[in-house]
Amino acid sequence: MKIGKILELIITEHQRILAKRADVHLSEKSLRKALNKAGYEYRNSGGKGWYFVGDGDEETVQEQLIYDFATAGKTGA
């Protein structure tokens, strides 16, 4: 799923519920970390929500898949 679509859905759905959707396939923690890696930060004061603070063009980042920024889970040895 594209980052732009996820940011649209986060406005109406809590990220915990969004992460459980079948078309996202990420845990809530992985979703937050992927958004951080993509250049977004969550602000809890003032206007709450996800804001782009990264380098480059935000529109280009929003067209990328969230999975490009998600890391694989822990692997057992």
Side-chain angles (χ1 to χ4, degrees):
M1 182 177 282
K2 291 184 179 183
I3 293 175
K5 181 67 175 174
I6 287 177
L7 292 172
E8 287 177 24
L9 293 173
I10 283 180
I11 293 171
T12 58
E13 294 182 40
H14 191 277
Q15 61 191 10
R16 178 178 359 112
I17 295 167
L18 180 62
K20 290 181 181 180
R21 286 177 48 147
D23 54 348
V24 176
H25 303 294
L26 291 173
S27 68
E28 180 184 3
K29 185 175 181 179
S30 296
L31 180 63
R32 285 194 322 264
K33 284 184 176 184
L35 286 171
N36 285 330
K37 281 186 179 181
Y40 287 87
E41 73 176 9
Y42 185 79
R43 294 184 187 160
N44 204 11
S45 61
K48 291 184 180 183
W50 288 94
Y51 293 92
F52 185 73
V53 295
D55 297 331
D57 184 30
E58 182 180 10
E59 290 181 19
T60 305
V61 173
Q62 286 186 358
E63 289 298 314
Q64 291 181 300
L65 295 174
I66 191 72
Y67 314 111
D68 295 340
F69 298 97
T71 57
K74 294 180 182 178
T75 57

